[in-house]
Amino acid sequence: MWSYVKSHVVGEFLACFVVGLLCLNVVESRDFNCREEQIQYSAINCRKHTALLTDFGGKGDGKTLNTAAFKAAIANLSKVASDGGAQLVVPPGRWLTGSFDLTSHFTLYIHKDAVLLGSQAESDYPLIDPLPSYGRGRDAPGKRFASLIFGTNLTDVVITGGNGTIDGQGAIWWKKFKEHKLKNTRPYLIELLFSNQVQISYLTLTNSPSWHVHPTYCSDVIIENLTILAPIDVPNTDGINPDSCSNTRIRDSYVVSGDDCIAVKSGWDQYGIKFGMPTQHLSIKRFTCISPDSAVIALGSEMSGGIQDVRAEEIYAINSQSGVRIKTAQGRGAYVKDIFVRNMYMNTMKYVFWMTGAYGSHPDPGYDPKALPEITNINYRDMVGKNVTIVGDLSGIQGDPFTGICISNVTVELASKQPSVFLSEKKKKLPWNCTDIAGVSSRVTPTPCDLLPEKQVDCAFPADVLPIDLVQLKTCSVGVGI
Ligand SMILES: *[C@@H]1O[C@H](CO)[C@@H](O)[C@H](O)[C@H]1NC(C)=O
Ligand SMILES: *[C@@H]1O[C@H](CO)[C@@H](O)[C@H](O)[C@H]1NC(C)=O
Ligand SMILES: *[C@@H]1O[C@H](CO)[C@@H](O)[C@H](O)[C@H]1NC(C)=O
Ligand SMILES: *[C@@H]1O[C@H](CO)[C@@H](O)[C@H](O)[C@H]1NC(C)=O
Ligand SMILES: *[C@@H]1O[C@H](CO)[C@@H](O)[C@H](O)[C@H]1NC(C)=O
Ligand SMILES: *[C@@H]1O[C@H](CO)[C@@H](O)[C@H](O)[C@H]1NC(C)=O
Ligand SMILES: *[C@@H]1O[C@H](CO)[C@@H](O)[C@H](O)[C@H]1NC(C)=O
């Protein structure tokens, strides 16, 4: 029994005992098939205690609902939060579950051969209040279904695995949404509110009913090595949406989506303005996106708490509607400022640069049309685009121009043949169309609009490194009998 565990984390007595027992349980039920496996993973913190979902009655047969097992396991493991914390290992199998909540000083580890399957029954997702910064749900004015994996007011929480899978089985939700049959807002796949020291990594996330990863009102968030896959023709399946979060890094991830691959947000009109919590200090590196109908990185449209200090580099886009897109509207208030993007490579794009001040989409008629957003200090440099339809469509707001736009060292090859959808429109699309903006450009091909005159400049990119980018993950090791 003792040989099943080789945790190098100190104080492994309980972990040994628990894992040994777990293995024994599996031995009994699986005709002595139990084998020892040494798992290694990278995390902000390793844990002293370990348990398997099977010890709490979990069944990985793809049919049994495991919500109660997850809840029992996490309730049990929350008791050791202040004694070195715990990791819950989801072993190989297909684990159907409804929504459950995480706890602090806790790791949910999804084995490489494990798939979490989101229940398709509305009753498996408790109803929760709208986000205070949104005032209402995005799909419907009422409540929201809690996300499949949910957490609020947590510290030090890790969701990781050996590239195990979380499958939201969203098809039924997409259908209900399109048919206007939902009275409440769809669940997200993973949502954490008011939490700090968050890590979501080394997983495949797929088919979320709506957004996949939604850290909201969080700080010190690490999101890396995620593969996020959704059909490209389904609604609102955004990849990663940092929302009113400070100090976030997104790295080494790949998203295919029907909506934005990354959408940076901070609340909606009067509710977001009142709540007043920005997304700031966000670093995105080595990120690949396929999003034929949306943006690689969207800023907004909900930005009413402000968006400031976003740095993105080594971004690869294939067959996407737009590169970086700023979406805002009268009534949003706040700001999008100090945005820096460099080394972005794009192939087959409708737009490289897209900004709109007329996005519309208001929560209710109570918004203040005089609440004008301030869009300023937007820097794009060192980019290559191929097979592009429109280089820049930049429209600010009349009387509230978007300023300080800088674009340097950008080479775009236009698509040789304009798709018929554009030829059939009355107006021929121009490579650049700018209104109510101000800025400069340097070494940009094709030549930008007159509102971005040539100046010999290299657009800014911060020389400092954000503290979140310096956080080193620890190597955690745990032996389990599975
Ligand atoms: C839950 O935790 C307690 C220790 O607090 C332990 O004795 C018990 O065995 C655990 N339950 C299960 C089902 O593992
Ligand atoms: C979570 O934290 C927020 C902000 O501090 C607070 O308003 C809220 O009441 C807390 N919620 C819970 C469930 O503790
Ligand atoms: C993780 O799994 C996904 C889906 O099977 C796969 O596309 C991806 O390449 C895997 N990532 C790694 C790093 O193995
Ligand atoms: C995360 O992705 C990067 C880039 O692909 C890779 O070098 C690194 O090994 C990955 N980490 C893990 C733990 O798979
Ligand atoms: C160029 O883009 C169009 C869509 O705008 C696409 O149909 C075509 O395959 C792309 N060509 C290449 C060489 O990628
Ligand atoms: C211009 O951008 C390209 C593409 O990112 C890069 O390889 C090159 O080094 C840049 N040139 C300068 C002078 O910065
Ligand atoms: C340029 O953009 C403005 C503002 O969005 C729009 O009204 C106009 O039709 C556009 N012009 C062309 C030629 O696309």
Side-chain angles (χ1 to χ4, degrees):
M1 183 150 97
W2 299 98
S3 65
Y4 290 136
V5 172
K6 291 200 198 77
S7 175
H8 75 201
V9 181
V10 277
E12 59 269 72
F13 177 81
L14 185 56
C16 283
F17 188 63
V18 169
V19 173
L21 275 181
L22 289 165
C23 194
L24 212 59
N25 287 346
V26 179
V27 169
E28 281 162 5
S29 61
R30 277 205 207 156
D31 299 317
F32 297 89
N33 265 339
C34 184
R35 64 187 164 85
E36 187 201 333
E37 186 173 316
Q38 197 70 27
I39 290 170
Q40 274 205 349
Y41 65 90
S42 305
I44 47 176
N45 283 307
C46 302
R47 309 300 181 195
K48 181 166 153 188
H49 304 277
T50 304
L52 287 175
L53 187 62
T54 37
D55 196 45
F56 296 86
K59 272 205 167 59
D61 58 7
K63 290 185 204 126
T64 307
L65 195 64
N66 287 288
T67 319
F70 274 110
K71 286 184 174 171
I74 292 165
N76 188 287
L77 297 173
S78 70
K79 290 187 266 176
V80 294
S82 56
D83 176 34
Q87 52 204 335
L88 176 64
V89 176
V90 180
R94 293 171 64 77
W95 309 87
L96 183 67
T97 183
S99 169
F100 60 89
D101 295 3
L102 302 178
T103 189
S104 292
H105 307 291
F106 176 78
T107 297
L108 178 65
Y109 182 92
I110 300 169
H111 187 276
K112 68 176 165 52
D113 300 319
V115 182
L116 247 68
L117 296 167
S119 163
Q120 296 189 310
E122 288 187 13
S123 55
D124 288 324
Y125 299 81
L127 288 172
I128 59 174
D129 286 335
L131 292 167
S133 57
Y134 282 66
R136 51 162 284 174
R138 287 180 87 271
D139 296 342
K143 298 221 168 199
R144 315 190 297 136
F145 292 103
S147 58
L148 183 65
I149 298 178
F150 181 76
T152 191
N153 302 64
L154 304 181
T155 298
D156 178 19
V157 58
V158 175
I159 308 170
T160 190
N163 199 21
T165 299
I166 306 175
D167 182 346
Q169 304 201 97
I172 190 161
W173 296 97
W174 307 327
K175 186 164 183 285
K176 284 183 191 171
F177 175 76
K178 282 185 190 158
E179 292 171 356
H180 305 285
K181 283 189 181 149
L182 288 171
K183 288 196 189 70
N184 300 289
T185 293
R186 283 168 288 170
Y188 302 125
L189 202 64
I190 299 173
E191 181 176 76
L192 294 171
L193 310 181
F194 298 111
S195 298
N196 59 60
Q197 298 178 56
V198 171
Q199 176 187 337
I200 305 169
S201 61
Y202 314 108
L203 292 169
T204 295
L205 310 178
T206 187
N207 300 325
S208 175
S210 180
W211 303 344
H212 283 80
V213 179
H214 189 213
T216 310
Y217 322 133
C218 291
S219 62
D220 299 317
V221 180
I222 290 179
I223 295 174
E224 46 194 45
N225 296 70
L226 292 185
T227 301
I228 302 180
L229 307 169
I232 54 173
D233 56 353
V234 298
N236 311 111
T237 49
D238 299 20
I240 303 165
N241 291 6
D243 201 339
S244 295
C245 289
S246 287
N247 308 320
T248 302
R249 83 181 190 212
I250 300 174
R251 286 187 186 169
D252 297 311
S253 292
Y254 173 79
V255 178
V256 182
S257 176
D259 211 315
D260 301 322
C261 288
I262 294 176
V264 183
K265 296 179 182 284
S266 67
W268 206 2
D269 285 5
Q270 69 272 30
Y271 305 102
I273 294 170
K274 186 167 173 220
F275 200 74
M277 189 182 278
T279 287
Q280 57 188 349
H281 314 306
L282 166 63
S283 153
I284 305 169
K285 279 187 196 172
R286 298 183 300 270
F287 182 77
T288 302
C289 168
I290 298 179
S291 173
D293 290 317
S294 289
V296 177
I297 300 173
L299 304 168
S301 80
E302 304 89 333
M303 40 62 67
S304 302
I307 295 174
Q308 182 169 23
D309 188 12
V310 176
R311 305 144 182 227
E313 55 189 321
E314 292 178 69
I315 311 295
Y316 304 88
I318 309 153
N319 188 21
S320 293
Q321 187 187 39
S322 61
V324 181
R325 184 175 182 200
I326 297 177
K327 306 191 267 191
T328 186
Q330 297 185 27
R332 288 287 196 279
Y335 50 83
V336 175
K337 62 185 176 192
D338 309 333
I339 308 299
F340 310 95
V341 186
R342 70 177 173 194
N343 298 332
M344 183 158 178
Y345 305 92
M346 292 161 275
N347 197 338
T348 304
M349 310 286 294
K350 185 168 173 197
Y351 303 90
V352 170
F353 305 112
W354 199 8
M355 297 179 190
T356 175
Y359 194 78
S361 166
H362 301 287
D364 56 50
Y367 71 93
D368 173 9
K370 290 198 211 76
L372 298 176
E374 181 194 12
I375 314 299
T376 193
N377 195 21
I378 313 294
N379 300 276
Y380 301 131
R381 59 179 285 179
D382 307 337
M383 299 186 180
V384 177
K386 296 199 164 128
N387 198 24
V388 167
T389 308
I390 296 165
V391 188
D393 186 332
L394 313 178
S395 31
I397 295 171
Q398 205 176 2
D400 176 34
F402 298 175
T403 61
I405 298 168
C406 182
I407 306 181
S408 69
N409 182 32
V410 172
T411 306
V412 175
E413 280 172 25
L414 294 172
S416 49
K417 201 166 67 131
Q418 299 273 310
S420 54
V421 56
F422 296 123
L423 289 180
S424 68
E425 285 175 25
K426 278 179 207 140
K427 266 180 281 178
K428 189 183 174 302
K429 292 281 175 183
L430 304 167
W432 289 90
N433 182 18
C434 306
T435 45
D436 301 303
I437 62 140
V440 297
S441 67
S442 185
R443 291 160 289 132
V444 176
T445 329
T447 307
C449 52
D450 294 343
L451 294 177
L452 295 175
E454 168 76 31
K455 289 267 151 54
Q456 297 295 312
V457 290
D458 288 318
C459 302
F461 196 94
D464 65 331
V465 176
L466 291 176
I468 191 70
D469 262 325
L470 295 171
V471 173
Q472 299 264 1
L473 301 185
K474 298 168 187 163
T475 300
C476 306
S477 180
V478 59
V480 288
I482 55 174

